[in-house]
Structure formats: structure tokens, C-alpha cells
Amino acid sequence: MLAGGTPRSHHLLAGLFQCHVCGGAMHTESGTGRNGTTYHYYRCGQAKAGLCENKKRVSAPEMDEFVSRSILDEILTPDRVATIIRDIKAATETWWKDRSERREHLTVALREAERRQKNLFNILELQGIDAPNLGDITVRLREIKAEIEGATKALQDLESADSPELTISEDMLAQATDALRAIIIECDDPIIVRHFFASFVDKIVVEGEALVIKYQPQKLMNHGLSTVVHSGDRWLPDLDSNQGPAD
Ligand SMILES: [Zn+2]
């Protein structure tokens, strides 16, 4: 991907690269040189239509490589990647802690229900059909039975739930950082890399001699383990209540 000069139909910065004059999108275009070589470049879409002063054409392979290197070196720094991985680790630890608390809560509730059930059985054993409020006792026994079954089921579900697993040492953190950089550098599909960059980069603008990358660092961290998928109305209407969380 970063070899430079490789013709490709999809460019890395499509949708991210903005014209510094009009704020419009920089489009990719290609042209053929005298020796038959195809050149790819970015150019303001508005300028093409005569609506913007920015006539500059920017070599697409050079720009893609420069921006990728800049993002790797300035944004996806080893420290920051380590922080992202530590955040995931912390979220995993929270999951285990939550589960432990929930198990304790359910166990207490289960013991309490069993104690009440035993008391009622004792009354029935001692007094038989002469027990006062026999009808009430029967109703309460039925309720307690449902409580016990509910708590037992919840405990079983808790035990069989898939847990997020992440055991990672400091050495592995360094390796993970290198691996992420290698994946991006060696990825042959610019669309994949563009999607990844677009998850935290808002826009890229050339201002004079400077390349300005506007991004949201919080999108790289503290995102926990969940991802919001904006599905529109394609499948949400088919969701039923059984697919929600157990509690
Ligand atoms: Zn423009």
C-alpha cells in the first residue's frame, strides 16, 4: 500500500481530504503522461467545476503515503496503542468484577428464597391442612418456587456466558503496537485502511506548508467493548425481547 506509484482505483484519503480554500472534498483523478504512465492525483472537486480558486493537484500516491506515515507516527504512537489495549484490558476486568458481584447477589437471593420456602414447609409439616391461611401459603410457595427457579437459571446463564478474554503482558503490548503498524503498512486494500483511519480522523487539510489532520483521540480510547452499529431500519424491527440482555 505504501509502495508509492502503484495505480489503484480507490485512494486512501477519499472522503477525508478536504480543500483548504473552499472546504469541499478533494477528488481523485488520473491522467496519462507522454510516456504512457498513468498519474493519480487529488484535486478540489469545486475547482474542477470552476467554483474554487485552488488549482493545485496533489500526487495521490505521495499524499497517501505521507498521510499514512503521519498518522502512524503522530497519532497511533506506541504509547497510544498501549493505552487502547490497556483500556480493553480494563473493560475485561470490569466484566469479571460485574459478573462476580452479580453471582454473589443471585446466590444471596437464592439462599433467602430457599430459607423462606423451608419455613413454609415447616409450618405445613407441623400443622398440615389445619395451618392458618393454607391458601396464602400455597400461593407464596408457588411464588418462591418461581423465584428459586429464576435465580438458578440466572446463575446457570452467568456461568455459561462467553467471557471476554484478554491476557496480555507488557512485552505483548509492544508487539501489538508493532503488529498494528505492520497491518496498516502492509495492507493491500486501501479501503480497509481508509475505513480504519475514518473511524477517528475527521478531515485532512493542506494549509500552506503544513498537513493538518483533524481527529478525535477519544474515539481511539475509552470506547469500552461495545460498538454502536447504525443499522437504520433494516433489521431492528425483527428484534424481539428475547435477544436483549438477561437482566
Ligand atoms: Zn476548493
Side-chain angles (χ1 to χ4, degrees), residues 20 53 62 64 106 116 140 181 185 206 243:
H20 66 284
E53 295 294 296
E62 281 174 33
D64 288 356
L106 283 167
R116 282 184 280 129
R140 279 160 67 199
R181 293 171 65 88
I185 289 168
V206 176
Q243 288 171 270

Side-chain angles (χ1 to χ4, degrees), residues 19-26 44-47 51-54:
C19 171
H20 66 284
V21 177
C22 70
M26 297 291 273
C44 173
Q46 295 285 91
L51 301 168
C52 175
E53 295 294 296
N54 184 11

